[in-house]
Amino acid sequence: MYNETRRAAWVEINLGALNDNYRAIRRIAPYSAVIAAVKADAYGHGAVKVSWELVKAGAEYLGVATLDEAAALRRAGVVTPLVLFSATPRGNVKDVLDLKVIPVISSYEDATLLSDMASALRGGKAADIFLAVETGMGRLGILFDNTGSAQIADIARLPGVNIAGIFSHLSAADDDDPSFTMDQINQFEKISASLAAMGIRPEIRTIANSAGVMRYPQSHYEAVRPGIALYGLYPARSMDDSAIDLSPVMSVRANIVLIRRVPAGFSVGYRHSYHTERESLIGVLPLGYGDGLPRVVSGKGRVIVNGVYAPLVGTITMDQAMVDLTDVPGVKEYDEAIVLGSDGTLSVTADEIAELSGTITYEATTRFGQRLPKVYKGAK
Ligand SMILES: *Cc1c(COP(=O)(O)O)cnc(C)c1O
């Protein structure tokens, strides 16, 4: 139990596993720079700590989603180049320059705003941008038709911006059918070649997320952008047999703060959602859906206590959840329950929680990171 966090529930972050995952990625993409995705507080793992660790390990860039995330890293002293994966709000172009962020640019309009601002503030020193091109994500990027290529030619002529990279995003690299991804990669190749013919030859081409890194070596180019794989999780369940060995970085633990012996027919949870069938030991865990344990997991989820699984019973509430401990050997108050993580051969995986709650592992870890205190282990 961690008294300093004033909570008997916490997220544990294994920095050793983070380093191992980083090295595993580097091994399969040895010729590419790494733009490590640390957006959304590093998928719930804590962006500042995770960023420091990845920068120490050698990551050349960090990827954020908001200017606030960029500002938090700069305040913490991180000087590594930051790439802003989302569209820059048009009212905040100056912050891109102040924070030395590389924005991903999808329109001439946005490029002009930045170019004007850079020319005004930096006395002729152009700002680096990554030029986004649409290849099949349907989100950001210039559509590479006649108008699009004319726009790009105009952007290339702007005095205040420098096209440092060409950027696109794979949307289906975790799908077992490779056809859509191959088509995206082919489009990306063609666009890069057309840009080269126009005299636009940036040093960096980047399109690969974790699934691309793992499955499509031809998508690595000069920089890869892993996120979920750094955190030790596979982009899709069907990928956990892939060549690369990853270990989950996050686990979630709680002390059982109260255990009561109750009779058969006892009701547990809002709207008496569970009734004991026998005399039972019902424990209370001090975390709930406000901490990322999804309410829809009520009655379906489980935790690990003293080497066995124990079912969650009743509705998961905002701050607390109940667990049936009747069959747990020797259980006592303040024993530790593993809500996410493993103990020997037993494990409650992010995949399991994601599947029970109709989502993906990305959302599962991100939500656990929002309110629970974080404890870092294995820092080097
Ligand atoms: C989040 C993100 C990534 C990382 O994706 P993973 O699937 O977690 O590897 C890469 N690129 C962009 C633009 C992203 O937004």
Side-chain angles (χ1 to χ4, degrees):
M1 184 188 158
Y2 293 88
N3 297 311
E4 69 270 26
T5 62
R6 298 195 200 91
R7 268 201 80 180
W10 64 98
V11 163
E12 204 166 284
I13 302 297
N14 182 340
L15 295 173
L18 178 70
N19 272 281
D20 292 345
N21 298 331
Y22 175 83
R23 281 196 297 272
I25 291 165
R26 270 250 118 102
R27 270 198 298 279
I28 59 169
Y31 307 113
S32 306
V34 168
I35 304 173
V38 297
K39 63 198 187 189
D41 206 22
Y43 297 35
H45 295 67
V48 168
K49 277 271 198 206
V50 163
S51 295
W52 276 124
E53 207 62 22
L54 292 174
V55 167
K56 257 192 292 172
E60 289 88 349
Y61 302 82
L62 301 168
V64 296
T66 70
L67 288 165
D68 256 1
E69 291 177 350
L73 292 177
R74 293 299 185 228
R75 271 198 306 276
V78 174
V79 297
T80 308
L82 302 178
V83 180
L84 183 62
F85 286 162
S86 311
T88 303
R90 288 194 176 153
N92 294 100
V93 172
K94 182 169 181 293
D95 296 280
V96 164
L97 300 174
D98 292 345
L99 294 166
K100 297 193 169 54
V101 167
I102 302 170
V104 165
I105 295 286
S106 302
S107 73
Y108 178 68
E109 178 82 39
D110 285 345
T112 308
L113 284 173
L114 184 65
S115 177
D116 291 350
M117 188 69 79
S119 304
L121 292 181
R122 298 167 47 139
K125 190 169 181 299
D128 281 346
I129 63 167
F130 281 0
L131 182 72
V133 293
E134 174 64 62
T135 57
M137 180 65 197
R139 190 169 65 183
L140 296 177
I142 293 176
L143 272 61
F144 199 72
D145 48 19
N146 289 339
T147 331
S149 65
Q151 267 199 61
I152 294 174
D154 289 342
I155 292 172
R157 279 193 288 270
L158 290 171
V161 297
N162 167 49
I163 301 176
I166 311 176
F167 181 102
S168 197
H169 193 56
L170 295 177
S171 69
D174 61 333
D175 192 331
D176 291 333
D177 178 354
S179 54
F180 196 87
T181 303
M182 287 313 299
D183 182 61
Q184 281 199 269
I185 293 170
N186 289 335
Q187 280 193 57
F188 194 61
E189 293 275 336
K190 279 203 192 121
I191 296 170
S192 303
S194 304
L195 294 184
M198 292 158 63
I200 302 167
R201 292 184 196 82
E203 272 171 31
I204 290 169
R205 288 166 297 168
T206 177
I207 191 171
N209 50 11
S210 296
V213 175
M214 289 181 201
R215 280 193 166 160
Y216 298 93
Q218 66 272 52
S219 75
H220 291 177
Y221 299 107
E222 290 76 36
V224 294
R225 307 195 305 269
I228 198 76
L230 288 168
Y231 307 109
L233 302 172
Y234 296 89
R237 218 171 190 176
S238 62
M239 291 185 65
D240 60 7
D241 58 349
S242 68
I244 176 170
D245 227 357
L246 302 173
S247 337
V249 174
M250 176 185 287
S251 62
V252 177
R253 292 152 196 276
N255 295 116
I256 303 162
V257 291
L258 186 70
I259 300 177
R260 296 181 304 158
R261 183 172 296 279
V262 302
F266 184 79
S267 62
V268 178
Y270 281 118
R271 298 207 177 163
H272 43 87
S273 43
Y274 176 77
H275 292 263
T276 54
E277 285 173 2
R278 55 179 175 167
E279 185 181 91
S280 301
L281 289 179
I282 300 294
V284 177
L285 301 177
L287 85 172
Y289 63 79
D291 300 297
L293 184 61
R295 187 174 179 280
V296 289
V297 167
S298 300
K300 296 187 274 187
R302 55 188 183 167
V303 298
I304 304 167
V305 183
N306 295 355
V308 298
Y309 291 114
L312 294 168
V313 291
T315 45
I316 292 167
T317 70
M318 187 179 280
D319 319 298
Q320 306 176 76
M322 281 70 85
V323 55
D324 182 354
L325 300 167
T326 317
D327 298 324
V328 177
V331 69
K332 53 186 193 315
E333 289 177 346
Y334 282 81
D335 279 353
E336 194 172 297
I338 300 171
V339 177
L340 170 72
S342 55
D343 180 11
T345 59
L346 307 186
S347 61
V348 178
T349 62
D351 260 320
E352 173 175 321
I353 292 174
E355 194 138 296
L356 289 174
S357 53
T359 184
I360 52 176
T361 54
Y362 296 66
E363 189 177 356
T365 64
T366 302
R367 295 186 54 191
F368 276 126
Q370 285 170 3
R371 186 172 74 170
L372 290 170
K374 297 182 189 77
V375 176
Y376 291 87
K377 288 277 169 77
K380 284 180 194 131

